[in-house]
Amino acid sequence: MIVNKSHREKMFRVVACVVIGLLLVSCTRRESVSQVAVLGSPAYAVTSEIAAEGEIVNATPLGSDPHYMEFTSSVARVLEQSKAVIALGASADRKMVSELSKPKLFLLPEGLEDPHVWLSPKRVLAWVPQIQSFLDEQFPNTKDVHAQNAEKFMATLQELDANFEKLRGYCFVTQHPAFTYVEQDYGWRVLGTLEVGEAEISPKQLTALMEALKSEQNCLLLLNPYEPSKTAEVLSEQLGLPSVDFDILEVATRSYSSIMAENIDGVLHALRQ
């Protein structure tokens, strides 16, 4: 059979595309199998500070709430293809990860009612050796990198810890009830919150909060930058309550250090006004 030149070239291109496609699929599959999947935005923000480049993959669905994480097909695929898993263990993620027959690390104790431990730098410091040890087991050839990254991260956490201490005794109103551990560890006075569960407080609760605020000289409202609040607008309009954004890492797209440094710098700046 005689095959002309243009037909041969066309066949060659088709075969080449198929081969390249198979190689890409194979590489992607090998890469995901050699990585540790991290589930939960705060967990990824912290773990990314310690891991070497290419060692972890974010299994958290974009915009996923750490309290009620959904087990989607994309999450299942990443978890299944990974060599190990690091998860918050705050809600449904604990159950889905527990069923996997591979190494796993949960950062939160089981049954914890309030999961927002990550907002206290003091408590995140306790996570660092756990994560470092787990990554060392999975990637023994990069132990030195983990050690260097962990040392640098702990220095940053200690700096954040000192800045959080500067706000001991200051009055705050928070949009989301996420600051229990900050209150316990640093003595911030949280006069009230604008949400109960996932709903905003009732008009009666708002009235009581406004009455309490009238006796305070200086109080700062900490807002979630990803959720508008009508109650916050009322407080600002009627009482002139100053506010500042405070990212609680439920949709973390950057490192823990950068987000928390921006948070505390914003608060310190607002209180100096």
Side-chain angles (χ1 to χ4, degrees):
M1 182 178 68
I2 299 174
V3 181
N4 60 42
K5 183 179 180 182
S6 63
H7 187 64
R8 283 200 305 272
E9 289 175 349
K10 193 177 295 183
M11 289 175 64
F12 176 79
R13 284 197 296 270
V14 170
V15 172
C17 287
V18 170
V19 171
I20 291 170
L22 289 172
L23 286 173
L24 286 173
V25 170
S26 175
C27 288
T28 301
R29 195 167 289 165
R30 283 199 300 270
E31 183 179 356
S32 60
V33 169
S34 66
Q35 291 176 308
V36 170
V38 184
L39 197 54
S41 291
Y44 186 78
V46 172
T47 304
S48 64
E49 301 270 11
I50 304 166
E53 186 176 354
E55 289 182 343
I56 63 173
V57 57
N58 193 353
T60 314
L62 187 63
S64 177
D65 187 333
H67 306 84
Y68 312 107
M69 196 175 297
E70 294 184 11
F71 190 42
T72 64
S73 58
S74 61
V75 173
R77 186 162 52 251
V78 175
L79 294 180
E80 183 61 33
Q81 293 178 351
S82 65
K83 66 183 298 182
V85 182
I86 296 174
L88 277 177
S91 59
D93 65 322
R94 178 176 290 273
K95 182 178 180 181
M96 67 176 79
V97 172
S98 294
E99 295 173 352
L100 297 171
S101 56
K102 59 183 64 182
K104 54 189 75 75
L105 171 65
F106 294 113
L107 299 177
L108 297 176
E110 189 170 6
L112 193 65
E113 188 173 339
D114 182 355
H116 299 93
V117 172
W118 60 84
L119 289 185
S120 169
K122 198 181 298 292
R123 303 203 184 208
V124 173
L125 270 165
W127 287 2
V128 176
Q130 298 176 50
I131 296 171
Q132 182 184 348
S133 176
F134 188 81
L135 291 173
D136 284 349
E137 291 174 6
Q138 306 308 315
F139 307 104
N141 293 335
T142 50
K143 283 185 177 182
D144 289 346
V145 177
H146 303 154
Q148 292 169 9
N149 290 347
E151 184 178 2
K152 181 181 177 181
F153 184 39
M154 284 191 289
T156 300
L157 288 170
Q158 287 162 355
E159 184 178 342
L160 286 169
D161 178 70
N163 282 328
F164 270 62
E165 282 286 359
K166 293 176 183 177
L167 299 171
R168 186 173 292 276
Y170 276 86
C171 172
F172 296 96
V173 173
T174 66
Q175 181 176 338
H176 191 63
F179 291 79
T180 301
Y181 303 104
V182 176
E183 285 185 87
Q184 293 174 3
D185 295 343
Y186 299 103
W188 293 18
R189 288 195 306 116
V190 178
L191 194 65
T193 181
L194 305 187
E195 296 176 359
V196 177
E198 295 300 307
E200 292 201 334
I201 58 176
S202 67
K204 183 178 180 180
Q205 290 170 316
L206 176 59
T207 300
L209 176 58
M210 292 175 71
E211 282 299 315
L213 281 166
K214 288 177 182 177
S215 62
E216 293 290 336
Q217 292 293 327
N218 295 298
C219 208
L220 186 63
L221 174 59
L222 304 181
L223 295 175
N224 185 344
Y226 300 105
E227 290 182 15
S229 169
K230 292 183 179 179
T231 307
E233 293 175 9
V234 172
L235 286 175
S236 296
E237 290 173 3
Q238 297 194 17
L239 295 181
L241 186 67
S243 64
V244 66
D245 285 346
F246 197 106
D247 189 337
I248 57 176
L249 284 93
E250 291 191 342
V251 189
T253 56
R254 294 178 287 138
S255 70
Y256 181 90
S257 297
S258 63
I259 294 172
M260 293 299 283
E262 190 173 291
N263 282 339
I264 199 67
D265 287 348
V267 172
L268 291 170
H269 178 76
L271 289 173
R272 285 194 293 264
Q273 300 302 304

